[in-house]
Every structure is written in C-alpha cells, then in structure tokens.
Amino acid sequence: MSTRLGLFVAIGLALGTAAASAQQAQAPLFATTQVEGTKNVYVFRYQNHQAMFVVTPAGVIVTDPISYGRPQAAEAYLAEVRKISQTPIKFLVYSHHHDDHIAGAKVFKAAGATIIGHKRTKERLTVRRNPDVLPVDQAVGDKHVIKLGGTTLELHYTGRNHSDSSLVMLLPEEKIIFAVDFNALGNVPARLAVNDSYPGEWEASLKRTLALGWERMIPGHPGPGGRLGTKKDMEQQLAFLTDLSAAVKKESDAGRCFTPAETELKLPQYSTMGGYEQNLPWVVHRYCGYWGRGI
Ligand SMILES: [Zn+2]
C-alpha cells in the first residue's frame, strides 16, 4: 500500500506540526542509511517506500526494487548500492506481489540478480503478466535460507496477512527483519493495506512473526520519524486487529455490517494510533466483509 496522500498523512502524524511537515516534505527524494549497529545492512528509501539491502564480500542481496510509477527509483537504488560495493548483485528478494514494492526489477536482473519470491508471488505474477514486474526465478515455500559471504538471510512465510505472498526476511545474527505492509508500525492500517488482506489469518501471521528471533524491524514504508519498528509495535498491531475483529463480529451478529458499523464503530483505546480517524472505517469495512459475508 502507499499513496502520496499516505506519505503526507504519515509524515503529519509523525511530526505533528505543519512546520515540521514542511521540513520533511523537503527531504531528499531518496536516501540510503546504514542500519545502526550493523556492518553491512542498509535501508534504501525512495519517497515513501523503502527496502533493505545487505552487502557481503561475495555479493549483494537486494530486496524490493520499489519502482512503481517511477522507473528511476531502481536506477537510483542500484547506483546507491554501487557507491558501497562493486561485488555482484546476487539476489533480489520480493517481499510480496504488490506492484508498488516490486515493479522495476529490470536493472537488478540486468546486473545479474536471481529474483526470489514466495510461490504465491510467482503464481500471481504469471497470471497477471505486468511487463513492469519481472517474474520470479526461484520460488520458495515456508522457509528458505540464503547464505552469502558470511551473512545468513532467512526467508519466512508466516501465513496470509496483508497479502497471501508476504515473506519476512530475517537476519538472525543481526536480529533484524524486513517486513512489508502487514505491520503498520503504530498506525491503523490504511485503505490500501486492507484491500488485499486476510482477516483472522493476518493476526495468526503476526503471532508467527513475533515468535521469530528479531528485535528491530525495517518497514516497507518509513516509520514515524524514520524509526525502525519493534516487537512492541507489532504486538500493538496484533492487539488492535484482535480487538477490532471481536468488535466487528458483534456488530455483524447484530446486523450492523456494513452500515452503520463502518461509521459508528469506534475503538477509543486505540485512538492515539496514527491514522485512527481516517483509516478505521476502512478496516471495519474489511472485517465486516469477513464476519458478515465470509469474504
Ligand atoms: Zn502491499
């Protein structure tokens, strides 16, 4: 999920003042940051999308080319990698099948990368055939381990959540995950985060992800102030979805789905979460579909 609007909403919520928002809006188009405390883990941000890459003596592992609607993003991404390492680009790992994260893989493919994705990503891309989204070369299932130049990157499928193809990328030594779109990091999930989502299974996936050995999470969209996520953030997301689901079920049982539940149901205990007012009706709508229609 992501929209320009989402960017400004997120920034506004994160910083809280118009002046700070204006300052943030002037932030560079893209930036590369080395993750604190690591020797070789980086975050590449382009506008409101970001991806992790890992540099090793034997080659580079990149993730999500994030070039949807802006082919120059992947070119900038590769150029940023090349400022740090001239070793081969060995792998490009897709986080999930949504265009806004994985369009634009051509430059990495041309640089020699093998494209890895979950088997559902491969199936979906094969059906849809968007020319901007390159197919998966190597499909993986529940777990796959990449070892390259002394670094281990584990790919975990923790079930259906925001999509049915999300891979959690875990660096076990560094205790870092790159997880995209299924944990909104302190925010109520936005409309585009719930459009293609799996209520019930989403919560189970969050529990499985929480059980993995990590301490910091790189999100696919910058967190408030650009910070990384924590298990506390993911626990909050799980609690929010669990409580919301129970509340919507009651509304559905009372015949109040989709209306008036969409506009009237509130969860005041979560009102301090980012995007609460504007995003809550969309999440209620999605869970109304689930409890009311089995969608
Ligand atoms: Zn997505």
Side-chain angles (χ1 to χ4, degrees):
M1 73 96 190
S2 176
T3 62
R4 189 169 290 259
L5 178 64
L7 167 63
F8 291 121
V9 167
I11 288 168
L13 290 165
L15 301 176
T17 68
S21 293
Q23 193 181 29
Q24 185 73 17
Q26 290 160 12
L29 193 59
F30 60 87
T32 300
T33 317
Q34 185 170 1
V35 177
E36 211 180 309
T38 71
K39 294 192 190 90
N40 62 346
V41 183
Y42 297 84
V43 176
F44 173 73
R45 177 195 61 78
Y46 196 102
Q47 292 177 318
N48 192 38
H49 284 75
Q50 58 187 19
M52 175 180 80
F53 67 94
V54 184
V55 174
T56 84
V60 181
I61 305 168
V62 295
T63 67
D64 287 2
I66 58 176
S67 274
Y68 177 66
R70 49 196 181 192
Q72 68 280 14
E75 286 163 21
Y77 187 172
L78 179 59
E80 289 287 281
V81 172
R82 284 297 178 230
K83 284 182 193 169
I84 298 163
S85 174
Q86 293 299 317
T87 60
I89 310 290
K90 286 283 191 184
F91 302 106
L92 167 62
V93 187
Y94 287 162
S95 65
H96 64 306
H97 69 276
H98 292 161
D99 289 3
D100 62 316
H101 292 274
I102 66 167
K106 283 177 187 151
V107 300
F108 293 110
K109 184 75 182 165
T114 298
I115 300 176
I116 298 179
H118 186 258
K119 60 188 177 187
R120 278 299 290 153
T121 294
K122 183 179 175 78
E123 289 165 0
R124 283 180 172 277
L125 301 188
T126 301
V127 172
R128 188 151 164 269
R129 293 180 185 280
N130 177 345
D132 291 332
V133 181
L134 292 191
V136 168
D137 298 316
Q138 186 183 352
V140 302
D142 287 350
K143 186 177 177 187
H144 179 77
V145 180
I146 298 171
K147 283 185 188 287
L148 185 68
T151 292
T152 299
L153 177 68
E154 297 179 2
L155 310 180
H156 291 267
Y157 180 69
T158 59
R160 303 200 289 185
N161 42 51
H162 154 82
S163 78
D164 65 355
S165 64
S166 304
L167 286 176
V168 177
M169 304 182 207
L170 168 68
L171 291 161
E173 195 175 311
E174 294 81 359
K175 294 186 172 18
I176 289 169
I177 57 169
F178 177 47
V180 177
D181 282 359
F182 68 94
N183 174 22
L185 215 166
N187 293 319
V188 171
R191 176 169 56 103
L192 285 170
V194 294
N195 265 0
D196 177 14
S197 69
Y198 298 85
E201 291 170 81
W202 188 344
E203 294 90 302
S205 173
L206 286 168
K207 284 181 194 166
R208 284 188 211 107
T209 307
L210 279 164
L212 298 173
W214 60 276
E215 290 169 356
R216 292 183 288 170
M217 184 194 92
I218 299 168
H221 301 276
R227 74 173 175 86
L228 303 185
T230 62
K231 283 203 169 169
K232 213 170 166 188
D233 292 311
M234 197 170 280
E235 284 160 1
Q236 181 193 41
Q237 189 86 169
L238 173 59
F240 166 74
L241 288 175
T242 303
D243 289 347
L244 176 118
S245 184
V248 173
K249 184 176 187 309
K250 273 190 197 162
E251 295 286 302
S252 176
D253 290 348
R256 290 167 55 82
C257 273
F258 292 86
T259 55
E262 285 173 337
T263 48
E264 291 184 3
L265 180 61
K266 301 291 174 198
L267 292 171
Q269 67 271 40
Y270 295 106
S271 62
T272 57
M273 288 178 77
Y276 174 81
E277 289 295 338
Q278 60 272 44
N279 294 343
L280 187 64
W282 295 108
V283 188
V284 173
H285 176 86
R286 180 69 197 91
Y287 276 74
C288 265
Y290 177 66
W291 287 117
R293 305 280 179 88
I295 297 170

Coordinates of all heavy atoms in Angstrom, one line a residue, residues 195-242:
N195 N -7.2 -3.7 1.6 CA -7.9 -4.1 0.4 C -7.7 -5.6 0.1 O -8.6 -6.3 -0.2 CB -7.4 -3.3 -0.8 CG -8.3 -2.1 -1.1 OD1 -9.2 -1.9 -0.4 ND2 -7.9 -1.3 -2.1
D196 N -6.4 -5.9 0.1 CA -6.0 -7.3 -0.2 C -5.4 -7.9 1.1 O -4.2 -8.0 1.3 CB -4.9 -7.3 -1.3 CG -4.3 -8.7 -1.6 OD1 -5.0 -9.7 -1.3 OD2 -3.3 -8.7 -2.3
S197 N -6.4 -8.3 2.0 CA -5.9 -8.8 3.3 C -6.8 -10.0 3.7 O -7.8 -10.2 3.2 CB -5.9 -7.7 4.3 OG -7.2 -7.3 4.6
Y198 N -6.3 -10.7 4.7 CA -6.9 -11.9 5.2 C -7.2 -11.9 6.7 O -6.4 -12.3 7.5 CB -6.0 -13.1 4.8 CG -5.8 -13.2 3.3 CD1 -4.9 -12.5 2.7 CD2 -6.7 -14.0 2.6 CE1 -4.8 -12.5 1.3 CE2 -6.6 -14.0 1.2 CZ -5.6 -13.3 0.6 OH -5.5 -13.3 -0.8
P199 N -8.4 -11.3 7.1 CA -8.7 -11.2 8.5 C -8.6 -12.6 9.1 O -9.0 -13.6 8.5 CB -10.1 -10.7 8.5 CG -10.2 -9.8 7.2 CD -9.4 -10.6 6.2
G200 N -8.3 -12.6 10.4 CA -8.1 -13.9 11.1 C -6.7 -14.5 10.8 O -5.9 -14.6 11.7
E201 N -6.4 -14.7 9.6 CA -5.1 -15.2 9.2 C -4.0 -14.2 9.5 O -2.9 -14.5 9.8 CB -5.1 -15.7 7.8 CG -6.0 -16.9 7.6 CD -6.1 -17.3 6.1 OE1 -5.2 -17.8 5.5 OE2 -7.2 -16.9 5.5
W202 N -4.4 -12.9 9.3 CA -3.5 -11.8 9.5 C -3.0 -11.8 10.9 O -1.7 -11.8 11.2 CB -4.2 -10.5 9.2 CG -3.3 -9.3 9.1 CD1 -2.1 -9.1 9.6 CD2 -3.7 -8.0 8.5 NE1 -1.6 -7.8 9.4 CE2 -2.6 -7.1 8.7 CE3 -4.8 -7.5 7.9 CZ2 -2.6 -5.8 8.3 CZ3 -4.9 -6.2 7.4 CH2 -3.8 -5.4 7.6
E203 N -3.9 -12.0 11.9 CA -3.5 -12.0 13.3 C -2.6 -13.2 13.6 O -1.6 -13.1 14.3 CB -4.7 -12.0 14.2 CG -5.6 -10.8 14.1 CD -6.7 -10.9 13.1 OE1 -6.3 -11.1 11.9 OE2 -7.9 -10.8 13.4
A204 N -2.9 -14.3 13.0 CA -2.1 -15.5 13.2 C -0.7 -15.3 12.6 O 0.3 -15.8 13.2 CB -2.8 -16.7 12.5
S205 N -0.6 -14.6 11.5 CA 0.7 -14.4 10.9 C 1.5 -13.4 11.8 O 2.7 -13.6 11.9 CB 0.5 -13.7 9.5 OG 1.7 -13.3 9.0
L206 N 0.9 -12.4 12.4 CA 1.6 -11.5 13.3 C 2.2 -12.3 14.4 O 3.3 -12.1 14.8 CB 0.7 -10.4 13.8 CG 0.4 -9.3 12.7 CD1 -0.8 -8.5 13.3 CD2 1.6 -8.5 12.4
K207 N 1.4 -13.3 15.0 CA 1.9 -14.1 16.1 C 3.1 -14.9 15.7 O 4.1 -15.0 16.4 CB 0.8 -15.0 16.6 CG -0.3 -14.4 17.4 CD -1.3 -15.4 17.9 CE -2.5 -14.6 18.4 NZ -3.7 -15.5 18.6
R208 N 3.0 -15.5 14.5 CA 4.2 -16.3 14.0 C 5.4 -15.4 13.8 O 6.5 -15.8 14.0 CB 3.8 -17.0 12.7 CG 2.9 -18.2 12.9 CD 2.7 -19.0 11.6 NE 1.4 -19.7 11.7 CZ 0.4 -19.3 10.9 NH1 0.5 -18.3 10.1 NH2 -0.8 -19.9 11.1
T209 N 5.2 -14.2 13.3 CA 6.3 -13.3 13.0 C 6.9 -12.9 14.3 O 8.1 -12.8 14.5 CB 5.8 -12.1 12.2 OG1 5.2 -12.5 11.0 CG2 7.0 -11.2 11.8
L210 N 6.1 -12.6 15.3 CA 6.6 -12.2 16.7 C 7.4 -13.3 17.3 O 8.3 -13.0 18.1 CB 5.4 -11.9 17.6 CG 4.8 -10.5 17.4 CD1 3.4 -10.4 18.1 CD2 5.7 -9.4 18.0
A211 N 7.2 -14.6 16.9 CA 7.9 -15.7 17.5 C 9.3 -15.9 16.9 O 10.1 -16.6 17.4 CB 7.1 -17.0 17.3
L212 N 9.6 -15.1 15.8 CA 10.9 -15.2 15.2 C 11.9 -14.4 16.0 O 11.5 -13.5 16.8 CB 10.9 -14.7 13.8 CG 10.0 -15.5 12.8 CD1 9.9 -14.7 11.4 CD2 10.5 -16.9 12.5
G213 N 13.2 -14.7 15.9 CA 14.2 -14.1 16.7 C 14.7 -12.8 16.1 O 15.7 -12.7 15.4
W214 N 14.0 -11.7 16.4 CA 14.4 -10.4 16.0 C 14.0 -9.3 17.0 O 13.2 -9.6 17.9 CB 13.7 -10.0 14.7 CG 12.1 -10.0 14.7 CD1 11.3 -11.1 14.6 CD2 11.3 -8.9 15.0 NE1 10.0 -10.7 14.8 CE2 10.0 -9.3 15.0 CE3 11.5 -7.5 15.2 CZ2 8.9 -8.5 15.2 CZ3 10.4 -6.6 15.3 CH2 9.1 -7.1 15.3
E215 N 14.7 -8.2 16.9 CA 14.5 -7.1 17.8 C 14.1 -5.8 17.1 O 13.4 -5.0 17.6 CB 15.8 -6.8 18.6 CG 16.1 -7.9 19.6 CD 17.4 -7.8 20.2 OE1 18.2 -6.9 19.8 OE2 17.7 -8.7 21.1
R216 N 14.6 -5.7 15.8 CA 14.2 -4.4 15.1 C 13.6 -4.8 13.7 O 14.1 -5.8 13.1 CB 15.5 -3.6 14.9 CG 16.0 -3.0 16.2 CD 17.2 -2.1 15.9 NE 18.4 -2.8 15.6 CZ 19.5 -2.3 15.1 NH1 19.6 -1.0 15.0 NH2 20.6 -3.0 14.8
M217 N 12.7 -4.0 13.3 CA 12.0 -4.3 12.0 C 12.2 -3.1 11.1 O 11.9 -1.9 11.4 CB 10.5 -4.5 12.3 CG 9.7 -4.8 11.0 SD 7.9 -4.7 11.2 CE 7.7 -3.0 10.6
I218 N 12.7 -3.4 9.9 CA 12.7 -2.4 8.8 C 11.4 -2.5 8.1 O 11.0 -3.5 7.5 CB 13.8 -2.6 7.8 CG1 15.2 -2.6 8.5 CG2 13.8 -1.6 6.7 CD1 16.4 -3.1 7.7
P219 N 10.6 -1.4 8.1 CA 9.3 -1.5 7.4 C 9.4 -1.1 5.9 O 10.4 -0.4 5.5 CB 8.4 -0.4 8.2 CG 9.4 0.5 8.7 CD 10.8 -0.2 8.9
G220 N 8.4 -1.4 5.1 CA 8.4 -1.1 3.7 C 8.0 0.3 3.4 O 8.2 0.8 2.3
H221 N 7.5 1.0 4.4 CA 7.2 2.4 4.4 C 7.8 3.0 5.6 O 7.7 2.4 6.7 CB 5.7 2.7 4.3 CG 5.1 2.1 3.1 ND1 5.0 2.6 1.9 CD2 4.4 0.9 3.0 CE1 4.4 1.8 1.0 NE2 4.0 0.8 1.7
P222 N 8.5 4.2 5.5 CA 9.2 4.7 6.7 C 8.3 4.9 7.9 O 7.1 5.3 7.8 CB 9.7 6.1 6.2 CG 9.7 6.0 4.7 CD 8.6 5.1 4.3
G223 N 8.8 4.5 9.0 CA 8.0 4.6 10.3 C 8.1 6.1 10.7 O 8.7 6.9 10.2
P224 N 7.3 6.4 11.8 CA 7.3 7.7 12.3 C 8.7 8.2 12.6 O 9.5 7.6 13.3 CB 6.5 7.6 13.7 CG 5.7 6.3 13.5 CD 6.5 5.4 12.6
G225 N 9.0 9.4 12.0 CA 10.4 9.9 12.1 C 11.5 9.1 11.5 O 12.6 9.3 11.8
G226 N 11.1 8.1 10.7 CA 12.0 7.2 10.0 C 12.5 6.1 10.9 O 13.5 5.4 10.6
R227 N 12.0 6.0 12.1 CA 12.5 4.9 13.0 C 12.1 3.5 12.6 O 11.2 3.3 11.8 CB 12.0 5.2 14.4 CG 10.5 4.8 14.6 CD 10.1 4.9 16.1 NE 8.7 4.7 16.4 CZ 8.2 3.5 16.5 NH1 8.9 2.4 16.5 NH2 6.9 3.4 16.8
L228 N 12.9 2.6 13.1 CA 12.6 1.2 12.8 C 11.5 0.7 13.8 O 11.2 1.3 14.8 CB 13.9 0.3 13.0 CG 15.1 0.7 12.1 CD1 16.2 -0.3 12.3 CD2 14.7 0.8 10.7
G229 N 10.9 -0.4 13.4 CA 9.8 -1.0 14.3 C 10.4 -1.9 15.4 O 11.6 -2.3 15.3
T230 N 9.6 -2.2 16.4 CA 9.9 -3.1 17.5 C 8.9 -4.1 17.6 O 7.8 -4.0 17.0 CB 10.0 -2.3 18.8 OG1 8.7 -1.8 19.1 CG2 11.0 -1.1 18.7
K231 N 9.1 -5.1 18.5 CA 8.1 -6.1 18.8 C 6.9 -5.4 19.4 O 5.8 -5.9 19.2 CB 8.7 -7.2 19.6 CG 9.5 -8.2 18.8 CD 9.7 -9.6 19.4 CE 10.3 -10.5 18.4 NZ 10.7 -11.8 19.0
K232 N 7.2 -4.4 20.2 CA 6.0 -3.7 20.8 C 5.1 -3.1 19.8 O 3.9 -3.2 19.9 CB 6.6 -2.5 21.7 CG 5.8 -2.2 22.9 CD 6.6 -1.3 23.8 CE 5.7 -0.7 24.9 NZ 6.2 0.3 25.7
D233 N 5.6 -2.6 18.7 CA 4.8 -2.1 17.6 C 3.9 -3.2 17.0 O 2.7 -3.0 16.8 CB 5.6 -1.5 16.5 CG 6.3 -0.2 16.9 OD1 5.7 0.7 17.4 OD2 7.6 -0.2 16.6
M234 N 4.6 -4.4 16.8 CA 3.8 -5.5 16.2 C 2.8 -6.1 17.2 O 1.7 -6.4 16.8 CB 4.8 -6.6 15.8 CG 4.2 -7.5 14.8 SD 5.3 -8.6 14.0 CE 6.0 -7.6 12.7
E235 N 3.1 -6.1 18.5 CA 2.2 -6.5 19.5 C 1.0 -5.6 19.5 O -0.2 -6.0 19.7 CB 2.8 -6.6 20.9 CG 3.7 -7.8 21.0 CD 4.8 -7.6 22.2 OE1 4.8 -6.6 22.9 OE2 5.6 -8.6 22.3
Q236 N 1.2 -4.3 19.4 CA 0.1 -3.3 19.3 C -0.8 -3.6 18.1 O -2.0 -3.5 18.2 CB 0.7 -1.9 19.3 CG -0.4 -0.8 19.3 CD 0.1 0.6 18.9 OE1 0.9 0.7 18.0 NE2 -0.4 1.6 19.6
Q237 N -0.1 -3.8 17.0 CA -0.9 -4.1 15.7 C -1.8 -5.3 15.9 O -2.9 -5.4 15.5 CB 0.0 -4.3 14.6 CG -0.6 -4.4 13.2 CD -0.9 -3.0 12.6 OE1 -1.2 -2.9 11.5 NE2 -0.7 -1.9 13.4
L238 N -1.2 -6.4 16.6 CA -1.9 -7.6 16.8 C -3.1 -7.4 17.8 O -4.2 -7.8 17.5 CB -1.0 -8.7 17.4 CG -1.6 -10.0 17.9 CD1 -2.3 -10.7 16.7 CD2 -0.5 -10.9 18.5
A239 N -2.8 -6.6 18.8 CA -3.9 -6.3 19.8 C -5.0 -5.5 19.1 O -6.2 -5.8 19.3 CB -3.3 -5.5 21.0
F240 N -4.6 -4.5 18.3 CA -5.6 -3.7 17.6 C -6.5 -4.6 16.7 O -7.7 -4.5 16.8 CB -4.9 -2.6 16.8 CG -5.9 -1.9 15.8 CD1 -6.8 -1.0 16.2 CD2 -5.8 -2.2 14.5 CE1 -7.7 -0.5 15.3 CE2 -6.6 -1.7 13.6 CZ -7.6 -0.8 14.0
L241 N -5.9 -5.4 15.9 CA -6.7 -6.2 14.9 C -7.5 -7.2 15.7 O -8.7 -7.5 15.3 CB -5.7 -6.9 13.9 CG -5.1 -6.0 12.9 CD1 -4.1 -6.8 12.0 CD2 -6.1 -5.4 12.0
T242 N -7.0 -7.8 16.8 CA -7.8 -8.8 17.6 C -9.0 -8.1 18.2 O -10.1 -8.7 18.1 CB -6.9 -9.4 18.7 OG1 -5.7 -9.9 18.0 CG2 -7.6 -10.5 19.4

